[in-house]
Amino acid sequence: MYFLQSEAFIAFRCRDFSLLSLNQLCLVLAVVMQEVAIGFALYQITQDPLSLGFIAVVELLPFIGLSFLGGHWADRYNRQKLLQWSFSLSSSIPLLLIVVFYAFQTQQIKQNTLLCLVYFLIFCLGILRGIYSPAFNSIRPFLIARQAENNAATWTTSIWQFGAIAAPLCAGLLLGHVGLIATLGVIFLLSCIGSLVVWRLTQRSFPISIHDQVLQSLKHAFGFMLQQRLLFWSMLLDFFTALFCSVIVLLPIVAHDVLHLGAEGLSLLRAAPAIGTALMMCVLLHFTPSQNAWRNMLLASIGIAIATFVFALSTSLWLCIALLMLIGALDSISMVIRQSLLQQLPPQDLHGRVAALNGILVTTGNQLGALNSSMASRYFSITPALLIGGSLCLSLCLFSFFRTRDLLKTPSSYEKYTILTTEK
């Protein structure tokens, strides 16, 4: 096709990257739609912010427990097979959620039983995510040419953000017009399509790690991360930002209690960060943020902290949307830099384990941030919770700056970052 001749689409010249991108799109749509639908439904039923925080916890615990094991398996066995089987099993979760919510709506089960079953299914999803996420994140470098890696990393982030825009809008419209059960049905269909696509990947073999013991394997991967100071501090800064500026989980509360909106209004708020990211992606497809990478990440995180602080004080729908778009745009800068580092720095036999460690940090930050925000909102109300979170994030950004000023002076080439060793 003609558009593939453009350098902006160079990664899509690989058939398997195109298939994996379609799988990713289905995954993002299904995951985000499910998050919006389940979060909206549970808050409507319970009116308790902690019901949203518990969703994060029950998915986080198995993910942490199995994610590195999944990374070890990805390096030890065929990561493509792991991805295919674990993703296919995860496709059944939306179908089981349909059964549970239908039983509740027809009064066959009570509220406490509903909550236990929903949390159990999310727990199971966390187990499967811990297996397929490292396999998914570590398979991409084997599909594309070296010169297309930056382009692939940008498109991977762009696809995620496109799905993150479309998913909440679709979820809000579906929830408002056809209800929860039909919305979960669409999610199940998307999961099935994503599962079928991933089975169409060309069969291939991968380098096998020589480390048989999981603890030895973990030590090897963690030691590598500590040696790559830019990678380590980038992941740590992202963790801080997610932990203390977790606005997304509170949007059902903001929509219902602050702005007095329904499902459609929630969908606008939920889509706003991804819209901001998509706009920024249009810029980053042509101008890489790798120049002065650490400076760019610091500025982006500081901007997110300030935007969170202002968001806490806002009672205007359009100002909230603008601030959420700004948060998404700034977050996309660090995501692209981090994805490029994760693809280019680790040796081939370490990709799975380093991807797993990154996934653990990112998911732990997001989920603990969700729990932290929901607990703070319950005991201090939503405005003080966001003010405290933004202030803590800003403080930690300044701490990171003073600890890593030498990284601001290093060359922009990722290859030269590999020689940076741990320094105090």
Side-chain angles (χ1 to χ4, degrees):
M1 297 175 67
Y2 176 75
F3 74 90
L4 292 179
Q5 302 303 315
S6 171
E7 289 300 308
F9 298 92
I10 187 174
F12 289 102
R13 297 174 190 172
C14 172
R15 169 186 175 273
D16 280 1
F17 178 78
S18 299
L19 288 174
L20 195 68
S21 296
L22 180 57
N23 168 267
Q24 180 195 6
L25 178 60
C26 291
L27 170 65
V28 174
L29 290 172
V31 166
V32 178
M33 287 179 67
Q34 184 170 290
E35 287 178 357
V36 173
I38 299 301
F40 180 78
L42 291 190
Y43 190 69
Q44 292 295 311
I45 293 169
T46 65
Q47 295 293 302
D48 185 356
L50 278 182
S51 66
L52 304 177
F54 286 149
I55 294 175
V57 172
V58 296
E59 187 175 3
L60 173 64
L61 294 177
F63 182 85
I64 291 178
L66 285 174
S67 187
F68 188 79
L69 182 60
H72 175 76
W73 287 345
D75 286 334
R76 188 76 178 111
Y77 306 107
N78 190 306
R79 65 198 68 196
Q80 185 169 310
K81 291 292 185 182
L82 285 173
L83 172 62
Q84 290 167 335
W85 284 106
S86 56
F87 189 90
S88 297
L89 288 173
S90 71
S91 300
S92 64
I93 300 297
L95 181 61
L96 295 173
L97 286 170
I98 291 174
V99 174
V100 170
F101 277 102
Y102 178 79
F104 176 73
Q105 291 181 0
T106 56
Q107 300 183 343
Q108 298 179 40
I109 59 175
K110 297 187 180 298
Q111 178 175 315
N112 288 339
T113 305
L114 167 73
L115 293 175
C116 289
L117 289 174
V118 169
Y119 292 145
F120 173 74
L121 290 175
I122 295 174
F123 181 87
C124 293
L125 181 61
I127 293 175
L128 294 170
R129 279 192 61 201
I131 298 173
Y132 75 66
S133 291
F136 179 90
N137 291 326
S138 64
I139 198 175
R140 192 181 307 108
F142 298 92
L143 306 182
I144 55 178
R146 183 81 175 180
Q147 65 269 22
E149 286 180 341
N150 283 334
N151 183 257
T154 303
W155 273 112
T156 297
T157 306
S158 300
I159 291 168
W160 173 265
Q161 296 305 326
F162 172 78
I165 294 171
L169 295 176
C170 293
L173 291 173
L174 289 170
L175 286 170
H177 292 88
V178 298
L180 177 63
I181 300 299
T183 302
L184 291 173
V186 174
I187 295 169
F188 175 63
L189 178 62
L190 288 168
S191 299
C192 290
I193 294 173
S195 179
L196 290 174
V197 167
V198 79
W199 283 97
R200 298 294 298 169
L201 292 173
T202 303
Q203 297 300 313
R204 53 173 49 83
S205 58
F206 301 90
I208 301 299
S209 170
I210 62 173
H211 298 283
D212 294 326
Q213 299 299 320
V214 176
L215 291 179
Q216 181 186 10
S217 182
L218 173 61
K219 182 180 178 180
H220 189 204
F222 192 70
F224 172 82
M225 283 181 51
L226 288 176
Q227 291 176 351
Q228 309 302 319
R229 295 187 63 241
L230 177 62
L231 178 61
F232 174 77
W233 278 98
S234 298
M235 293 168 66
L236 196 61
L237 186 62
D238 180 77
F239 176 82
F240 289 153
T241 304
L243 181 63
F244 295 112
C245 293
S246 186
V247 176
I248 300 299
V249 70
L250 300 179
L251 292 183
I253 305 173
V254 174
H256 186 271
D257 297 344
V258 178
L259 301 178
H260 309 292
L261 304 171
E264 291 85 353
L266 171 61
S267 69
L268 290 174
L269 293 173
R270 189 64 172 75
I275 294 173
T277 298
L279 294 175
M280 180 61 72
M281 285 298 105
C282 295
V283 177
L284 297 183
L285 282 171
H286 301 282
F287 302 97
T288 176
S290 61
Q291 296 292 330
N292 300 307
W294 183 234
R295 182 205 65 184
N296 293 338
M297 291 199 69
L298 278 171
L299 291 176
S301 296
I302 291 171
I304 290 173
I306 295 173
T308 301
F309 198 90
V310 178
F311 182 84
L313 303 174
S314 174
T315 57
S316 165
L317 171 62
W318 297 110
L319 179 57
C320 287
I321 289 175
L323 290 169
L324 289 169
M325 290 175 62
L326 177 60
I327 290 173
L330 294 172
D331 188 51
S332 65
I333 297 173
S334 62
M335 281 193 294
V336 169
I337 293 173
R338 197 172 63 254
Q339 284 295 324
S340 296
L341 289 171
L342 287 168
Q343 287 190 33
Q344 296 184 16
L345 293 184
Q348 286 192 337
D349 66 341
L350 264 179
H351 269 296
R353 283 163 286 166
V354 173
L357 285 175
N358 175 68
I360 289 172
L361 274 177
V362 171
T363 303
T364 300
N366 289 333
Q367 306 298 61
L368 288 182
L371 178 62
N372 173 56
S373 296
S374 62
M375 291 182 65
S377 297
R378 184 178 187 184
Y379 295 110
F380 300 110
S381 81
I382 190 167
T383 298
L386 290 172
L387 290 174
I388 293 170
S391 300
L392 288 173
C393 181
L394 184 59
S395 299
L396 288 169
C397 287
L398 295 176
F399 170 79
S400 299
F401 166 75
F402 286 112
R403 294 289 294 177
T404 59
R405 281 177 290 182
D406 58 306
L407 291 179
L408 298 173
K409 304 174 184 178
T410 56
S412 61
S413 170
Y414 288 137
E415 288 76 8
K416 293 185 179 180
Y417 287 133
T418 61
I419 65 174
L420 294 174
T421 57
T422 305
E423 298 173 0
K424 298 297 182 182

